[in-house]
Amino acid sequence: MAFKQLLTAALSIALALPFSQAAITRRVACPDGVNTATNAACCALFAVRDDIQQNLFDGGECGEEVHESLRLTFHDAIGISPSLAATGKFGGGGADGSIMIFDDIEPNFHANNGVDEIINAQKPFVAKHNMTAGDFIQFAGAVGVSNCPGAPQLSFFLGRPAATQPAPDGLVPEPFDSVTDILNRFADAGGFTIQEVVWLLASHSIAAADHVDPTIPGSPFDSTPEIFDTQFFVETLLKGTLFPGTSGNQGEVESPLAGEIRLQSDADFARDSRTACEWQSFVNNQPRMQVLFKAAMQKLSILGHDLTQMIDCSDVIPVPPSTAVRGSHLPAGNTLDDIEQACASTPFPSLTADPGPATSVAPVPPS
């Protein structure tokens, strides 16, 4: 009980912190005569934000370009390995934009399949607004997520220098990697704890796959890919069938929901004894998911950089809408008997099912 009370208090403080800081921080007027910022260096970002909201994210939709921009933040940032650097080799620069600067190299890595599309979509904005690729990738990811109801307002820090070398191959985890391998990769990249890796996987609440199984592009990971909610953590625990490791669908697990795809790694994380309870903790706990995902994303977004040398421009990121977010529920046609609970220490929350027969999940339309 004491631990639960401590966690509740910590979450309350974290949620209240931005408001208390805003109350005591003096803001400066920006040259545009419209916006204010806590640091004058952030003023130029308002024009970038408005441009990509209109012309990259289709006027502020939580759609395909948002999903791909969020994916790109991870694929760029995770390209760092202190253990590799300790051997005398280049270990990557983390969130430095190398995936865009060296777009004739890194997008060709197997784990980066498909990132060339969002890179090509973003590059004109980088050139237009004279930002470094590393800053733009993380900024676009944070702005994009703000279009998704239920998401937290992500942090953004300005000041990443341009990458000078491409990241080495083999640093981006793949969906057929084991839980142990993925945890080790995150620990090496930035000292991520087991729990923090689960927090980052909340990103799959607003994700879809185009290349895991190319025969079904746009397949979402849960039934509400346009909403940042806890359904991903429920639906990943529904009984499914693992495909054999063939080239066409390696890393894919058949979901009982028609039209929905499930990664093997997600299915494994939901059921592994090291991660199952952390996974289950997000079921029907939207505030916890928001706070912890934001914390993990901030850590990811500054890999390879010294936070004390960066400028906090988080106030440029819009506050996401909170409408259209409901509590966790079972998809129509399912019961709690369809949940493969793996957390031994905590009972699974009691959930109700949507009425009616089982329905299919629509693919995320391309932009």
Side-chain angles (χ1 to χ4, degrees), residues 22-272:
I24 63 175
T25 301
R26 184 176 181 178
R27 302 178 68 83
V28 298
C30 293
D32 61 10
V34 177
N35 296 291
T36 62
T38 55
N39 190 304
C42 304
C43 285
L45 294 174
F46 286 106
V48 187
R49 181 195 69 185
D50 295 345
D51 190 8
I52 62 177
Q53 282 285 62
Q54 186 61 41
N55 300 306
L56 179 63
F57 299 135
D58 300 320
E61 293 185 359
C62 182
E64 174 71 2
E65 299 298 341
V66 168
H67 303 162
E68 291 302 311
S69 292
L70 180 57
R71 180 184 180 222
L72 190 61
T73 66
F74 166 70
H75 283 250
D76 185 47
I78 200 66
I80 185 170
S81 173
S83 65
L84 183 62
T87 68
K89 300 178 181 179
F90 179 61
D96 62 356
S98 65
I99 199 169
M100 181 180 290
I101 294 173
F102 300 97
D103 60 352
D104 58 337
I105 298 176
E106 288 190 46
N108 295 322
F109 299 162
H110 186 269
N112 291 334
N113 186 20
V115 299
D116 57 314
E117 297 171 7
I118 189 61
I119 288 173
N120 291 335
Q122 289 189 4
K123 285 184 74 172
F125 295 96
V126 176
K128 177 180 179 181
H129 295 286
N130 196 29
M131 292 181 69
T132 66
D135 275 344
F136 184 84
I137 287 171
Q138 298 303 322
F139 183 70
V143 172
V145 168
S146 76
N147 295 326
C148 303
Q153 181 188 28
L154 295 182
S155 303
F156 173 71
F157 293 84
L158 181 70
R160 298 165 184 80
T164 58
Q165 298 182 62
D169 196 2
L171 299 183
V172 181
E174 302 211 48
F176 48 80
D177 290 344
S178 69
V179 171
T180 296
D181 286 346
I182 294 173
L183 291 176
N184 288 341
R185 176 78 277 276
F186 274 95
D188 174 41
F192 286 90
T193 66
I194 291 173
Q195 292 76 21
E196 287 174 326
V197 177
V198 177
W199 302 352
L200 280 172
L201 288 172
S203 62
H204 287 182
S205 171
I206 47 172
D210 288 325
H211 301 282
V212 174
D213 188 338
T215 66
I216 48 173
S219 298
F221 296 153
D222 75 358
S223 58
T224 55
E226 74 289 351
I227 301 173
F228 185 87
D229 62 7
T230 59
Q231 274 306 105
F232 167 70
F233 291 96
V234 175
E235 293 172 18
T236 312
L237 282 167
L238 293 172
K239 297 174 182 176
T241 302
L242 177 63
F243 282 112
T246 58
S247 59
N249 49 26
Q250 189 178 19
E252 178 189 350
V253 177
E254 184 177 20
S255 170
L257 298 181
E260 184 175 296
I261 195 171
R262 183 182 304 169
L263 301 183
Q264 177 182 326
S265 54
D266 285 343
D268 291 345
F269 264 87
R271 292 160 176 80
D272 190 281

